[in-house]
Amino acid sequence: MLTKLCLAVALSVTAVPVFSAPAGAPAPYSLQALRDVARAGHPALAAARSQVEASRAQVASAAAYPNPEVEFLAGRTQARVPGATDGSARSLSLLQRIDNPWQRDARIDAATFGLDARQAERRAFENDLLARLDQRYFEVLRRQAEVRAAREDLSLAEQIRGKVAVRVNSGEAPRYELIKADTELLNAQKAFESAGLRVARAHAALRAVVGAGLPADFQVEGVLAAYPAGSAVVPPLDVLRAEVLARNPELLRSQAEVRRAERQLELERLRRQPELALKVAEDRDSEIRDTRFGVVLSVPIWDRRKGPIAEAGALLAKSRSEQAGQELGLLQSLEIAYSEYEIARTQVNALENGILREAEAAMKVAEAAYRFGERGILDYLDAQRVFRAARNELIAARYELQVAVIEIERLRAAP
């Protein structure tokens, strides 16, 4: 859903083609392909899945019935009175504890809610991982857009320097204009080299999030898109609050932990009840065979499980407090992300629909005036700087808009 949401609209105003992969290079990765690689091979995500399997095994352990206890003794009898017979003696007994059905249900429920908590924790980790991946992906697109813009600036600075050199050599312009053009060319070269280094750093950060399954020389496809003005790409804040409270995995984990703690407290209280076991025993010697059947009752007189009950109650109170804090923190994070989304969308709309166009028009007027000798090189370069600043601000605003959308999608945990 986030892939379609973030790549639905093409670049406007400063749209340029994405990087083309060199011949023989592997195909560039889309956002969905990067997500698939991370899901398949990220070691931390594999560890989270293993934790879920461990919790599922705990449920199976909680549902297991107690094993019977068999006792066998063998020895010899020695006569101590006249008429008695010496010989061998054996004793066999079988003890089967009866599982309290109320304790069993509470034990299974506690383990089941623990499994629910681990599953929600795994979903939360995957949700956070993919959100970080999306941010790194759009950071790469941002840095690539900055490189393209820097390359255009460098090409334009080289053209201006050539034109200024012709005018200075012919005596139509003073020498300081060539010095100024050389300075602008050096600044453009420095900006282009810095932009290339930022692209490399963004690629490394993205590969660190995706995992070792991503080759070192990978490329990404896509453009840093923006939303058209007035389009409702994000639901209203009230709808988002309801979605966060209903399906955020971090909150679902806290709720499952509360239910698990409740059942654990109930289990500890039930363990104060007497425990029952059935016992069958048989004794044999050279003269007598003795068979007995009865019950064994464990009476909790001295140990009333005050410690485990108090511990379970404290853990329940802790889980409830954590749930309340989790809910409050998520709603605050949602409000912050939504406000950042509104700010970024306003900035993108303002830059796309007015500021950048006006700066581009002013630059063209200054260029024409300089060509006909009505303005100096400084006026032309100032107009260019204003246009470049507005264009770079638009790239940054588009990236901030995507980051805000990613954070909202992470909190709402939309499938």
Side-chain angles (χ1 to χ4, degrees), residues 193-234:
E193 293 174 358
S194 299
L197 294 176
R198 286 193 292 268
V199 168
R201 185 174 60 185
H203 272 81
L206 176 59
R207 188 169 184 264
V209 174
V210 175
L214 194 64
D217 58 344
F218 76 99
Q219 296 294 330
V220 298
E221 64 180 14
V223 291
L224 188 60
Y227 304 110
S231 63
V233 297
V234 173

Side-chain angles (χ1 to χ4, degrees), residues 229-288:
S231 63
V233 297
V234 173
L237 186 57
D238 293 339
V239 176
L240 290 174
R241 287 195 186 98
E243 291 179 347
V244 168
L245 295 178
R247 64 191 184 197
N248 183 273
E250 297 177 2
L251 186 57
L252 294 178
R253 181 195 62 80
S254 298
Q255 293 172 352
E257 290 289 355
V258 169
R259 292 192 291 268
R260 187 200 64 79
E262 290 174 347
R263 294 299 281 166
Q264 185 66 33
L265 176 59
E266 183 179 356
L267 175 61
E268 296 299 337
R269 288 172 176 170
L270 289 171
R271 283 175 174 169
R272 293 185 302 184
Q273 298 177 355
E275 295 183 358
L276 182 66
L278 300 180
K279 185 173 184 179
V280 178
E282 183 182 75
D283 296 331
R284 291 186 180 183
D285 59 21
S286 57
E287 296 182 347
I288 301 175

Side-chain angles (χ1 to χ4, degrees), residues 103-384:
Q103 291 185 16
R104 175 182 174 82
D105 292 341
R107 188 175 64 247
I108 294 175
D109 289 345
T112 302
F113 288 131
L115 173 61
D116 294 341
R118 300 291 78 75
Q119 289 176 336
E121 187 176 7
R122 195 271 308 166
R123 291 194 299 270
F125 181 83
E126 180 177 354
N127 194 32
D128 292 343
L129 175 66
L130 296 181
R132 294 198 308 270
L133 187 153
D134 293 344
Q135 291 178 1
R136 298 302 185 186
Y137 168 81
F138 284 106
E139 184 180 0
V140 170
L141 296 185
R142 174 189 180 180
R143 300 309 180 188
Q144 289 180 351
E146 291 175 349
V147 165
R148 291 192 292 266
R151 184 185 292 114
E152 292 176 359
D153 294 341
L154 179 59
S155 177
L156 183 59
E158 291 173 346
Q159 295 175 12
I160 293 175
R161 199 272 177 196
K163 294 178 181 179
V164 171
V166 172
R167 294 188 62 182
V168 170
N169 293 333
S170 64
E172 298 179 7
R175 185 71 181 176
Y176 81 88
E177 290 193 359
L178 182 59
I179 297 175
K180 187 65 178 176
D182 288 336
T183 303
E184 290 295 326
L185 178 59
L186 291 175
N187 289 333
Q189 290 175 345
K190 183 184 68 173
F192 178 70
E193 293 174 358
S194 299
L197 294 176
R198 286 193 292 268
V199 168
R201 185 174 60 185
H203 272 81
L206 176 59
R207 188 169 184 264
V209 174
V210 175
L214 194 64
D217 58 344
F218 76 99
Q219 296 294 330
V220 298
E221 64 180 14
V223 291
L224 188 60
Y227 304 110
S231 63
V233 297
V234 173
L237 186 57
D238 293 339
V239 176
L240 290 174
R241 287 195 186 98
E243 291 179 347
V244 168
L245 295 178
R247 64 191 184 197
N248 183 273
E250 297 177 2
L251 186 57
L252 294 178
R253 181 195 62 80
S254 298
Q255 293 172 352
E257 290 289 355
V258 169
R259 292 192 291 268
R260 187 200 64 79
E262 290 174 347
R263 294 299 281 166
Q264 185 66 33
L265 176 59
E266 183 179 356
L267 175 61
E268 296 299 337
R269 288 172 176 170
L270 289 171
R271 283 175 174 169
R272 293 185 302 184
Q273 298 177 355
E275 295 183 358
L276 182 66
L278 300 180
K279 185 173 184 179
V280 178
E282 183 182 75
D283 296 331
R284 291 186 180 183
D285 59 21
S286 57
E287 296 182 347
I288 301 175
R289 177 179 179 180
D290 183 14
T291 303
R292 298 181 302 276
F293 175 81
V295 297
V296 178
L297 189 64
S298 176
V299 182
I301 297 178
W302 313 118
D303 183 9
R304 298 292 294 171
R305 302 194 63 83
K306 292 183 179 180
I309 291 174
E311 181 182 358
L315 292 177
L316 174 58
K318 176 176 177 288
S319 298
R320 287 173 175 171
S321 299
E322 289 179 348
Q323 179 188 351
Q326 189 79 54
E327 181 176 337
L328 179 61
L330 288 173
L331 292 179
Q332 289 179 343
S333 298
L334 175 64
E335 292 178 358
I336 293 173
Y338 195 83
S339 64
E340 292 177 350
Y341 162 76
E342 292 288 347
I343 293 172
R345 187 176 64 170
T346 302
Q347 291 178 343
V348 168
N349 292 337
L351 288 165
E352 285 184 345
N353 299 327
I355 297 175
L356 189 61
R357 293 177 182 177
E358 293 177 359
E360 185 178 13
M363 183 185 66
K364 291 180 180 179
V365 172
E367 180 183 5
Y370 172 73
R371 185 181 302 113
F372 291 106
E374 298 177 0
R375 291 288 188 273
I377 186 64
L378 295 178
D379 294 333
Y380 183 27
L381 294 178
D382 287 340
Q384 280 189 350

